[in-house]
Amino acid sequence: MISGVSSKNGFFSAEDEEGGVRSQARGAYLLLRSRIIQGDLAPLDKLKIAPLATELDVSSSAVREALSRLASDFLVEARDQQGFRVAAISLDELDDLTATRIDVETIALSRSIALGDHHWEARVRAAHAAISAHIGDPRTAEGWALHEEFHNALLAACGNRSLLRIRDSLYELTERYRNIGIRYAIQPRPVVDEHNRIAEAVLARDTDQAVAALVSHLRKTAELVRNAIAEL
């Protein structure tokens, strides 16, 4: 089971049961979200409630709640009389997401460079060092976490939580495309060089160069995904 349900004297109260379903639903949500973003669940894969409940050892209502939440995140599609499935991908959506993420992240990065203190600089250095030292598969949980921390660190000092919430949603959606691109890419990509250029410009407080390097990085990712999708 993803998470247990507390009880008193061996009996479950209505409050215990409700809390248990919420806890199970959150666990199922996080696990399925990870699988979708990492590409383990492919676009248009059917998500049947009963088999998932058995696999995850949670209730059917917990799975249904998790899938409904994923649908609100645009990672799952809910269709009348047809149940749930992993959200489709398209080149048009990829272009829209990439353009919007560039708009949002260049604002956030510029603010971070202007407002960031030495603690922020230390976080950027640490995140850059960690991802540069990673030699494993970028599709693993470790590779995914290091990539996420590097990009999060760059924007961490922007000082606008609303902007970062929008950016986080865009990051998840584009990360799913990136992982699909990595999975089916034909040629390796020198992403370390791209990260180096971004980090160097950011730490030098060169806003124009940092923004240009980030935009180039995001566009190259989109191009990788385009080429990968074309081969499917």
Side-chain angles (χ1 to χ4, degrees):
M1 179 179 286
I2 289 178
S3 60
V5 182
S6 62
S7 64
K8 298 178 181 178
N9 301 320
F11 294 94
F12 292 96
S13 68
E15 183 178 353
D16 288 332
E17 183 176 355
E18 181 182 354
V21 170
R22 284 200 302 268
S23 179
Q24 289 181 9
R26 174 168 173 75
Y29 165 79
L30 291 173
L31 182 57
L32 292 172
R33 169 181 165 273
S34 176
R35 288 182 181 178
I36 292 170
I37 293 174
Q38 293 190 39
D40 296 329
L41 289 172
L44 303 182
D45 274 357
K46 291 185 177 180
L47 300 168
K48 297 182 178 180
I49 292 175
L52 284 173
T54 299
E55 177 188 350
L56 303 179
D57 194 15
V58 298
S59 67
S60 294
S61 58
V63 173
R64 186 175 291 105
E65 182 178 333
L67 292 175
S68 296
R69 183 175 173 186
L70 288 165
S72 69
D73 292 341
F74 305 105
L75 293 170
V76 162
E77 296 174 358
R79 297 199 167 191
D80 292 340
Q81 309 302 321
Q82 296 182 35
F84 296 91
R85 67 179 188 177
V86 178
I89 60 173
S90 73
L91 294 179
D92 285 343
E93 181 183 55
L94 172 63
D95 290 343
D96 288 346
L97 289 172
T98 301
T100 308
R101 185 177 167 190
I102 286 172
D103 288 343
V104 170
E105 289 206 10
T106 53
I107 295 172
L109 183 61
S110 298
R111 288 176 58 90
S112 277
I113 292 172
L115 301 174
D117 58 13
H118 66 281
H119 295 294
W120 169 71
E121 287 188 4
R123 179 177 174 183
V124 172
R125 285 194 180 92
H128 178 234
I131 197 171
S132 298
H134 182 64
I135 58 175
D137 189 334
R139 294 171 297 179
T140 63
E142 181 184 9
W144 183 33
L146 290 172
H147 182 263
E148 182 175 28
E149 169 56 15
F150 175 70
H151 281 277
N152 286 348
L154 296 173
L155 312 178
C158 89
N160 188 319
R161 287 179 293 179
S162 295
L163 186 67
L164 289 180
R165 280 196 294 268
I166 295 169
R167 177 266 171 188
D168 288 346
S169 177
L170 290 166
Y171 178 86
E172 287 190 352
L173 294 171
T174 54
E175 190 72 352
R176 182 165 80 110
Y177 277 91
R178 185 184 78 92
N179 287 325
I180 291 172
I182 291 174
R183 188 178 293 265
Y184 297 104
I186 298 174
Q187 296 180 339
R189 175 184 173 203
V191 70
V192 173
D193 294 339
E194 296 172 30
H195 288 161
N196 288 343
R197 283 193 289 272
I198 295 170
E200 288 170 4
V202 165
L203 294 171
R205 305 280 181 156
D206 188 333
T207 302
D208 290 342
Q209 286 298 320
V211 166
L214 179 63
V215 169
S216 175
H217 177 63
L218 296 178
R219 285 178 175 164
K220 285 180 179 178
T221 297
E223 187 62 27
L224 173 75
V225 175
R226 276 186 160 276
N227 293 336
I229 291 176
E231 296 297 322
L232 295 181

